[in-house]
Amino acid sequence: DAGVTQSPTHLIKTRGQHVTLRCSPISGHKSVSWYQQVLGQGPQFIFQYYEKEERGRGNFPDRFSARQFPNYSSELNVNALLLGDSALYLCASRLPGPYEQYFGPGTRLTVT
Amino acid sequence: ELKVEQNPLFLSMQEGKNYTIYCNYSTTSDRLYWYRQDPGKSLESLFVLLSNGAVKQEGRLMASLDTKARLSTLHITAAVHDLSATYFCAVDMGGGATNKLIFGTGTLLAVQP
């Protein structure tokens, strides 16, 4: 079975631009979460979506937004990029409840 | 605000030795996860601990959870070079269909031959 997939793998953007990251969960998983991992730190929770509804939001500015589609794939959008947004963005999916969360390979975003 | 602290932050150990990584967290939760991350890679799930006293083992790694002490440990037995990686614990602050993992600071493990 295919795991969590993310696209693109790498991305270079300029300050002030907008970026869209995409994630496809494991088949049958309806929950998708997004995390930001800055180099040398642990991942930080950004959003969780379940059944197309936002279920949780981390301490990130309104420049960050996300949505989940009817097929349970998800997009993370970041507007007005700052240098500090450079990070590895991880998507994870899971079944509802106390089950393990499976992470995708990540998208490495570099803002110059 | 929940804080998740790991120690040590960096661990250099020789092959064949035993050691323990500690994960302390500051609020009540009975769902704790351990992950491994290789340089430049994503997170690999190691253990899911869902109740007080839970103990799980896989190969040379064993994880335990004490929810009363708000402490989880990851014990490494007879380390080998292949275990070199960064290890994260993560506490789940959600419930039901909601989940929000709060990750620890990470422990960089380097196993020397």
Side-chain angles (χ1 to χ4, degrees):
Chain A
D1 286 340
V4 178
T5 59
Q6 292 185 245
S7 63
T9 305
H10 294 88
L11 203 53
I12 301 175
K13 289 286 190 178
T14 305
R15 278 177 296 178
Q17 286 188 317
H18 162 270
V19 68
T20 297
L21 310 181
R22 296 178 174 84
C23 170
S24 292
I26 292 172
S27 177
H29 289 191
K30 300 179 180 179
S31 172
V32 170
S33 298
W34 288 94
Y35 292 80
Q36 179 197 65
Q37 186 177 24
V38 174
L39 192 63
Q41 298 182 17
Q44 300 239 330
F45 173 78
I46 310 176
F47 286 109
Q48 186 218 350
Y49 277 79
Y50 176 70
E51 288 281 18
K52 301 179 288 295
E53 290 187 3
E54 182 182 305
R55 289 298 190 105
R57 182 183 183 117
N59 188 24
F60 280 80
D62 291 343
R63 299 185 296 107
F64 288 76
S65 64
R67 56 179 176 167
Q68 186 176 34
F69 299 98
N71 66 353
Y72 304 111
S73 66
S74 178
E75 281 184 355
L76 175 69
N77 294 282
V78 187
N79 292 323
L81 285 167
L82 303 174
L83 294 179
D85 295 331
S86 296
L88 180 66
Y89 288 85
L90 296 163
C91 173
S93 76
R94 66 187 274 181
L95 294 169
Y99 300 103
E100 65 186 304
Q101 197 155 205
Y102 295 90
F103 283 82
T107 293
R108 185 160 299 281
L109 172 65
T110 302
V111 182
T112 62
Chain B
E1 180 184 332
L2 171 66
K3 291 186 179 180
V4 182
E5 296 181 343
Q6 289 180 234
N7 69 82
L9 298 181
F10 177 70
L11 176 57
S12 179
M13 57 190 299
Q14 287 185 316
E15 281 190 328
K17 298 293 187 181
N18 304 331
Y19 209 81
T20 300
I21 299 171
Y22 297 88
C23 173
N24 292 273
Y25 54 99
S26 61
T27 193
T28 302
S29 175
D30 56 3
R31 296 200 253 184
L32 190 136
Y33 305 80
W34 282 95
Y35 288 91
R36 167 182 171 145
Q37 188 173 40
D38 292 300
K41 303 293 186 181
S42 187
L43 297 168
E44 174 189 353
S45 177
L46 294 175
F47 299 108
V48 179
L49 303 170
L50 299 176
S51 61
N52 186 41
V55 178
K56 291 200 174 178
Q57 182 165 6
E58 180 72 34
R60 301 175 188 274
L61 301 177
M62 183 174 70
S64 66
L65 177 61
D66 181 342
T67 59
K68 294 180 181 177
R70 298 177 187 172
L71 170 69
S72 180
T73 62
L74 180 66
H75 186 73
I76 303 154
T77 301
V80 293
H81 180 68
D82 285 351
L83 289 179
S84 297
T86 299
Y87 292 84
F88 292 98
C89 64
V91 177
D92 191 341
M93 294 307 300
T98 300
N99 66 273
K100 174 181 177 180
L101 294 189
I102 307 300
F103 281 81
T105 45
T107 296
L108 175 59
L109 173 65
V111 181
Q112 313 294 339

